[in-house]
Amino acid sequence: PELERNGGKVCLVIATDGCNYNVENVGLEVKEAERQHELIQALKSLEGLPVVVVIRLCTNYRPVVDFYNDLDQHLEGLALDVLDDHKAEAEEVYEHNPWLNYALILHRMREMGQESRLFDIIDERPLAKEEIRQFCSMLFGIDFHGDVNDNSEWEEFIQEINHLQELEKMQWNPKSKTMAPWIDTKQLASLDD
């Protein structure tokens, strides 16, 4: 109760290869569906509590990755982020948001439970302009004002990003394998409404 009253949360980080055996089941023939159901039930018990769950996958085995990526469909009331390794997550981010340099520090923030709705969706779909503004506010620690859906204000926003990036260190970009700024403003400028 005190944690909730103070607005605090607990971050539960689970690193797994996908084999969620419990001690009583070791050596027994337990069907994978039963193990998966058991995991879902355990996570459901956390719904409604001030908990953020991060699942760090330590496997590339497609059936396991697919199971964990679909977990949020079963867990509506739980803040959950399922993460692959940095390289794989970067590929997913670039598929939807190629304007962002998904530098290692962003991945580490997600792995450590930095809670943001934008972190949850950045590797799932393109961010809308307003969400990009919110993400950049979080990234640079500055509130950007104005209506980014207005073309002239979008251009001003991009100019402000360019200015801020001059003050920032370059970050390793896992896609281009070079040092690069956080935001590719040319990509931003080319976004359609």
Side-chain angles (χ1 to χ4, degrees):
E2 185 177 335
L3 192 62
E4 286 180 293
R5 191 171 43 252
N6 295 333
K9 292 191 177 191
V10 170
C11 177
L12 173 62
V13 179
I14 301 170
T16 182
D17 64 358
C19 296
N20 52 334
Y21 295 101
N22 86 27
V23 175
E24 291 115 32
N25 293 340
V26 173
L28 300 176
E29 284 295 320
V30 178
K31 293 185 175 131
E32 189 162 345
E34 290 176 46
R35 290 194 313 268
Q36 291 174 346
H37 178 74
E38 184 178 286
L39 175 66
I40 290 168
Q41 293 309 307
L43 290 172
K44 277 187 177 187
S45 72
L46 300 174
E47 289 183 327
L49 296 174
V51 176
V52 175
V53 178
V54 176
I55 299 179
R56 296 175 61 187
L57 294 180
C58 304
T59 182
N60 291 329
Y61 183 56
R62 193 83 250 157
V64 170
V65 171
D66 291 343
F67 166 73
Y68 281 94
N69 282 334
D70 293 340
L71 263 182
D72 55 357
Q73 295 174 12
H74 303 283
L75 303 162
E76 295 298 321
L78 184 64
L80 174 72
D81 202 2
V82 177
L83 299 175
D84 206 336
D85 62 69
H86 177 233
K87 183 179 175 191
E89 285 296 318
E91 288 298 324
E92 290 178 29
V93 169
Y94 293 129
E95 181 180 332
H96 301 291
N97 295 288
W99 51 268
L100 177 64
N101 177 358
Y102 188 71
L104 183 60
I105 187 127
L106 292 178
H107 189 68
R108 293 291 184 246
M109 288 171 65
R110 290 177 73 195
E111 286 180 328
M112 304 256 184
Q114 173 70 38
E115 188 182 15
S116 168
R117 176 186 65 83
L118 298 173
F119 274 147
D120 290 343
I121 60 175
I122 202 154
D123 59 349
E124 296 172 4
R125 66 168 175 79
L127 296 184
K129 285 183 176 180
E130 177 58 27
E131 292 169 328
I132 292 171
R133 184 189 65 76
Q134 292 169 9
F135 188 88
C136 289
S137 291
M138 179 179 61
L139 183 65
F140 293 107
I142 292 177
D143 285 331
F144 294 100
H145 301 287
D147 180 9
V148 291
N149 292 312
D150 175 277
N151 284 339
S152 65
E153 292 192 35
W154 178 248
E155 290 171 15
E156 288 176 27
F157 168 72
I158 291 172
Q159 288 173 359
E160 194 168 352
I161 295 293
N162 277 327
H163 172 70
L164 286 169
Q165 292 194 129
E166 291 173 3
L167 306 172
E168 293 283 327
K169 291 181 180 178
M170 301 284 260
Q171 300 292 322
W172 180 256
N173 184 315
K175 179 78 171 172
S176 67
K177 295 181 178 39
T178 61
M179 298 300 283
W182 285 110
I183 308 295
D184 182 339
T185 53
K186 289 179 184 170
Q187 288 268 351
L188 281 188
S190 70
L191 290 179
D192 295 329
D193 292 29

